[in-house]
Structure formats: structure tokens, C-alpha cells
Amino acid sequence: MAKSVLIVEDDQNIAELLRLYLEKEGYVAAIASDGGAGVEMFRKLQPDLVLLDVMLPVMDGWTVLQNIRKDSMTPVIMLTAKGETTDKVSGLKMGADDYITKPFEMKEVLARIEAVLRRGGGQEEKAPSKRLVFDKLIIDLDAFELIVDGKKVDTPPKEMELLFHLASSPNRVYTRNQLLDEVWGFDYFGDSRTVDVHIKRLREKLEGVSPQWSLKTVWGVGYKFEVV
């Protein structure tokens, strides 16, 4: 059965974009445009997960979260334009399951939804882990974290997706067009130099970390994640 998601978001463009992407991925999605309607729709629909904006009319996201937590442990992911650590800590202490700062990429939202649902689902519908481990390198697409030589390195979502895609098939050579199609998909507007730019940025983060792997250019063809 398809999982259901309630989107509580007063920005109509963001709400509709979230709904379209979720439905494309097979979810059932509903939208509430203010906090009061969000609480009512939550009680009526009993969704599997809530995407909850913080700054809402009628009732703010924190109050909506408090109402949900009175009698439900349904997963809640907070959406906010604020990026301060104190806000994140407050939200998690109040019972939020995750926290995404705007502006966000839709693939990151989808990955976080899958991760939160997996954590709450026990043994049911276990999806394969999106976590790759190499010498001095961890690529965790579930958490959108890149750990290089034991340290977390801030990495934009598209760079993470590109690196994960290459490293998922070590030593396989991908053309730029393949990478554009398989990583960017219908989100992509531009030319193949986008791949070169992202590879360059990844190399700046990864160059010389380990002799056991590297991002290689295959001249005239494309790129590969080489493991020796």
C-alpha cells in the first residue's frame, strides 16, 4: 500500500512542487496551507508522515508538532528557512524526526522521507542502505553526509548524488550524458559542463585522501570511481 504524506506549507508553489514529486515517487500526498488546517487534516487522514513548515499562519509549526505529539508518534520532518543549530535542537527535542532547511533539493527531501519511514517501520519494507564505505571515505546518501578521513565534509546534494552514483559501480566508466541522465534526470537544465564542474569540486574534497580509490577522468569518454 502506498505511504501517505501530509504537507503543511503555506507557500503554494513549494507545497505543489512537493506534492508532484511525492506522487511521482508513488506516495499519496495531501496539502494543508495553515497550521490549524494541518492539525485537522492530520486527525482526519492519519498520514504515515508529515512535512511541516515552521512559519505558518493561524498556528505555527511548533504548535502543530505539539498537537500531533499529544497522541501520535507519526514521523514529522520540519521545513524551515532558518538554519540555526538552536532551532534544530529545539525541534528535535519537541519530537521532530528530522529537519530540512530551505532552499532544499527535492531528491534530498525524498531521501530523508525514505530514511525516516525506514527508521519507524521496523522490519517492514526494508529498503537497501544507501551507504558506501571505502578506505577513509563514507558516502551516506541516507543522511546526505560525506565523511572524509573521519571528518564530515559539507557537500551539496547533487555532488553527493554524483559521487554515490559513481562509487556504487567502482571502475565503471560513465559518459557525461549518462551521468546527466541518471543523476540529474528531469531536474536538469544546462549542458554537459555541469558534470565537469561537480567532478572538479569533488576532487578538491577527495584528492590524495587514500591510495585505494580515486575519481578518474577517462579522456574522450567520461569519469569513473576507480578502486585498486
Side-chain angles (χ1 to χ4, degrees):
M1 180 182 286
K3 297 285 187 180
S4 58
V5 177
L6 173 61
I7 303 160
V8 188
E9 169 62 70
D10 62 322
D11 186 314
Q12 185 176 353
N13 291 331
I14 292 176
E16 282 298 326
L17 189 63
L18 285 165
R19 183 183 64 79
L20 287 170
Y21 270 79
L22 286 166
E23 290 180 349
K24 179 179 179 294
E25 293 297 315
Y27 293 95
V28 175
I31 296 172
S33 57
D34 65 67
V39 172
E40 290 180 15
M41 288 184 70
F42 175 81
R43 290 171 178 162
K44 178 181 177 182
L45 301 176
Q46 294 295 302
D48 295 298
L49 181 139
V50 180
L51 288 176
L52 177 59
D53 190 26
V54 172
M55 303 300 290
L56 290 167
V58 181
M59 183 188 298
D60 68 27
W62 305 126
T63 309
V64 174
L65 178 60
Q66 287 176 328
N67 275 272
I68 289 172
R69 284 291 173 260
K70 285 178 181 176
D71 51 15
S72 173
M73 291 306 295
T74 296
V76 177
I77 298 177
M78 306 300 294
L79 305 175
T80 180
K82 295 180 180 179
E84 289 83 358
T85 303
T86 51
D87 289 329
K88 296 183 181 182
V89 171
S90 298
L92 295 171
K93 282 184 176 178
M94 291 173 66
D97 294 85
D98 205 348
Y99 194 106
I100 302 175
T101 304
K102 300 176 185 176
F104 45 72
E105 288 205 25
M106 296 306 305
K107 286 185 179 180
E108 179 183 3
V109 175
L110 293 169
R112 288 181 181 272
I113 287 172
E114 290 171 8
V116 167
L117 287 174
R118 210 158 46 238
R119 288 201 301 267
Q123 299 301 313
E124 184 182 337
E125 295 184 21
K126 272 215 166 185
S129 173
K130 291 184 178 180
R131 189 173 188 269
L132 302 175
V133 180
F134 300 92
D135 179 53
K136 298 181 181 179
L137 178 68
I138 299 173
I139 310 163
D140 191 340
L141 205 61
D142 286 331
F144 269 80
E145 288 184 350
L146 181 65
I147 311 296
V148 180
D149 203 8
K151 297 177 182 177
K152 181 179 175 182
V153 177
D154 288 336
T155 307
K158 204 57 86 183
E159 286 181 31
M160 283 287 301
E161 291 166 21
L162 176 59
L163 180 59
F164 182 88
H165 194 75
L166 289 165
S168 293
S169 301
N171 301 320
R172 175 183 168 183
V173 180
Y174 289 88
T175 67
R176 290 171 178 82
N177 286 336
Q178 282 177 319
L179 292 170
L180 287 172
D181 182 55
E182 295 170 17
V183 177
W184 275 260
F186 67 85
D187 289 337
Y188 173 70
F189 301 97
D191 61 40
S192 63
R193 284 174 295 183
T194 298
V195 177
D196 300 335
V197 171
H198 282 70
I199 291 288
K200 180 176 181 291
R201 291 173 180 163
L202 284 168
R203 279 192 175 134
E204 290 170 356
K205 298 176 173 73
L206 302 174
E207 204 74 50
V209 172
S210 170
Q212 296 183 23
W213 50 264
S214 61
L215 275 177
K216 289 283 189 181
T217 300
V218 181
W219 298 108
V221 184
Y223 298 102
K224 67 176 177 176
F225 184 86
E226 186 174 88
V227 175
V228 295

